[in-house]
Amino acid sequence: PDRALAKAGASAKLAEALAGATQGVEVVPISAVTGAGLSGLLPAISRAYDRWSVRVPTGYLNRWLRRTCRTQPPPSAFKQVAIRGGSRGGRGAPVVPVPLKLKYLSQVNTRPPTFTLFANREEVPEAYRRYLLNSLRTEFSLFGVPLRMMVRAASNPYAKGRNDSRRLAPQRSASTVKRIKSKRLDKKSKARKA
């Protein structure tokens, strides 16, 4: 029995080392010679399939994201920021820390569980992304399942050219609006008479 436990522990360590993306894979030791351990194989497969098909509500995800950001805030990135009024004495734009703001998280697919993180920019450091995935895996018991996370940047309403692709209707003057309303009223009255 001690030898079997030692082998099971060694195989679990091996599986953990080989499956970096699927942490916590359930290991079921079986014997091809005696058939020992086969009774635990189908239940393990069933549990893995349930975790593979899990659907986490967006409300739970966003509460988890707020708690996680409070515990370990996202890192700031240093980048050049343009200042109003042109360059500063001939120098380039200053390099300032720009905080990464995580807005919300939503699950967009199952099999494997795929999440979309909305932030103020798409450049989330890889280390912080791994931290989020590991924390997500722990919080929602998604061990042994590969998780995917996509990051999308929310659009900035003040950015130049934001509405270039979506042309807005031109503003109408008050006299034009009155003329359109009177035409509509004329059509209604003619329809009533007919």
Side-chain angles (χ1 to χ4, degrees):
D2 293 334
R3 187 174 179 185
L5 287 175
K7 283 185 179 180
S11 62
K13 286 181 184 176
L14 178 65
E16 194 70 39
L18 292 176
T22 55
Q23 295 176 357
V25 173
E26 190 173 346
V27 177
V28 180
I30 59 172
S31 171
V33 176
T34 64
L38 284 177
S39 61
L41 188 58
L42 282 178
I45 292 171
S46 177
R47 287 189 297 273
Y49 183 78
D50 290 343
R51 286 191 303 266
W52 175 261
S53 305
V54 74
R55 184 91 180 139
V56 183
T58 303
Y60 290 153
L61 289 171
N62 289 321
R63 283 190 285 278
W64 165 82
L65 183 64
R66 279 195 301 269
R67 279 194 319 269
T68 305
C69 287
R70 257 188 261 125
T71 305
Q72 180 68 42
S76 295
F78 288 90
K79 70 179 204 177
Q80 289 191 336
V81 177
I83 294 180
R84 257 187 232 175
S87 66
R88 297 174 42 175
R91 297 185 311 238
V95 177
V96 295
V98 178
L100 174 64
K101 296 177 187 171
L102 304 181
K103 305 206 182 272
Y104 62 97
L105 181 69
S106 178
Q107 185 174 0
V108 293
N109 205 355
T110 58
R111 300 182 195 147
T114 305
F115 302 93
T116 300
L117 175 67
F118 290 87
N120 61 337
R121 62 176 191 269
E122 290 185 15
E123 301 89 27
V124 176
E126 189 59 35
Y128 196 73
R129 186 186 295 229
R130 276 194 314 271
Y131 164 73
L132 288 175
L133 285 174
N134 289 334
S135 179
L136 190 68
R137 187 175 281 122
T138 303
E139 178 74 19
F140 297 106
S141 300
L142 298 172
F143 297 107
V145 177
L147 301 179
R148 294 181 184 164
M149 182 178 287
M150 300 177 291
V151 180
R152 292 189 56 197
S155 62
N156 182 353
Y158 301 107
K160 279 189 173 181
R162 177 180 179 264
N163 292 326
D164 288 350
S165 62
R166 292 181 277 147
R167 292 271 176 185
L168 299 176
Q171 294 293 322
R172 295 182 174 140
S173 65
S175 60
T176 306
V177 171
K178 284 181 184 177
R179 191 176 72 241
I180 292 171
K181 284 183 179 179
S182 66
K183 285 182 180 179
R184 286 181 189 160
L185 289 174
D186 289 343
K187 285 182 182 178
K188 285 183 182 178
S189 61
K190 286 179 183 177
R192 286 182 192 154
K193 291 178 183 177

